[in-house]
Amino acid sequence: RTRVSLSSGARTCSPQELGEREMKLLSAGAAAHAAAAILLTSSACTPPAVAISQPMRQAVLEVADAAYPVVASVRSDAAGPFAVQAAALFAAASPLEVARTAEKLSDALLSIPPERLDAAAASWKSAYADVARSSSCNVPLPPTDALRVAASAWDAAAASVDPASVAAAARVARPLLSAVVRNEEAICLPPLPAFETAALATADALASADPAALSAASRQARAALGSVPRAQAMSAMPQMQQQATRLSDLRSRQRLKAAIRGVGEARAEQARREAEAAAPKRCFTMSCYDYSLDTGKGRGGIEGYYRPLPDV
């Protein structure tokens, strides 16, 4: 896949036609671009080579369905100030913590099997098959000022980053990132059914990442956020929260929050079922029960022995 499906109006651009700023942000900062997708979807992640359960798939679909109108309703007069504030916080973070975050995110991204990333990129490319001829490019890109501040902050952190690791992550992320169609000012949205299908493919890819690498990336991202000077964070966060209320209507935001909570609940239920399936079993002559062999405090006694197995 050497063709990048970016559009300028109705025209599709090749990688050579991209501007210097876009290529810099796409390549050198690919790990940072992947952060949002990895962290937002990490709550849906399961151990490698284990397919996500049907309840989890339904939860992901509900998030995609709830997110679609929120994303579609974003306008530049609301998103611009929010992006500028976010870029300022990014620039205020410790360059060393930002560098460590980029490396951890790169490790998490590189732990995804290439075939899963290829499937996700193909799904997004298919979703955008006819978008370049539509008028759906209405999700504003961050303003130039925000991009400039973020790029400058990345340059300060890049000196402490392992270039090989981030470059490798950039290479594997590029097909997925470049599948998104955009014009000079905005990102385009595919039709909702295609959006949901691509979201499921992305969730499948993230579910195959190394859970330990994802956890390390999440912890390090929190450490980077925590390195922002407290006074600046306390000043910016109320403003960003107020600006976020302008991104979409209250009902849509509440629906999206509930859908994201549903992903967490589905993940917890899947983990419970996996732990139950892995518990040791003991069968006797009259009946079969399962119970933990760990008889430590609170885990032994009669309540542990008499728990009938579920019907299978």
Side-chain angles (χ1 to χ4, degrees), residues 104-154:
K104 294 298 184 182
L105 289 169
S106 297
D107 292 342
L109 187 60
L110 292 171
S111 74
I112 300 175
E115 63 273 14
R116 295 291 187 92
L117 281 174
D118 288 345
S123 183
W124 282 107
K125 186 173 182 179
S126 175
Y128 278 104
D130 299 319
V131 165
R133 294 186 293 275
S134 74
S135 58
S136 62
C137 300
N138 56 8
V139 182
L141 290 168
T144 302
D145 288 347
L147 291 176
R148 185 182 297 114
V149 170
S152 177
W154 171 253

Side-chain angles (χ1 to χ4, degrees), residues 36-38 40-45 52-53 56-69 71 112 116-128 176 179-180 189-208 256 259-260 263:
I38 290 176
L40 285 176
T41 318
S42 62
S43 60
C45 292
I52 59 177
S53 65
M56 178 68 77
R57 295 178 70 84
Q58 184 60 39
V60 171
L61 282 175
E62 290 176 2
V63 169
D65 188 61
Y68 193 88
V71 175
I112 300 175
R116 295 291 187 92
L117 281 174
D118 288 345
S123 183
W124 282 107
K125 186 173 182 179
S126 175
Y128 278 104
L176 185 60
V180 178
L189 275 180
L192 178 57
F195 182 82
E196 292 175 337
T197 300
L200 274 178
T202 305
D204 282 334
L206 289 168
S208 66
L256 178 57
I260 293 174
V263 170

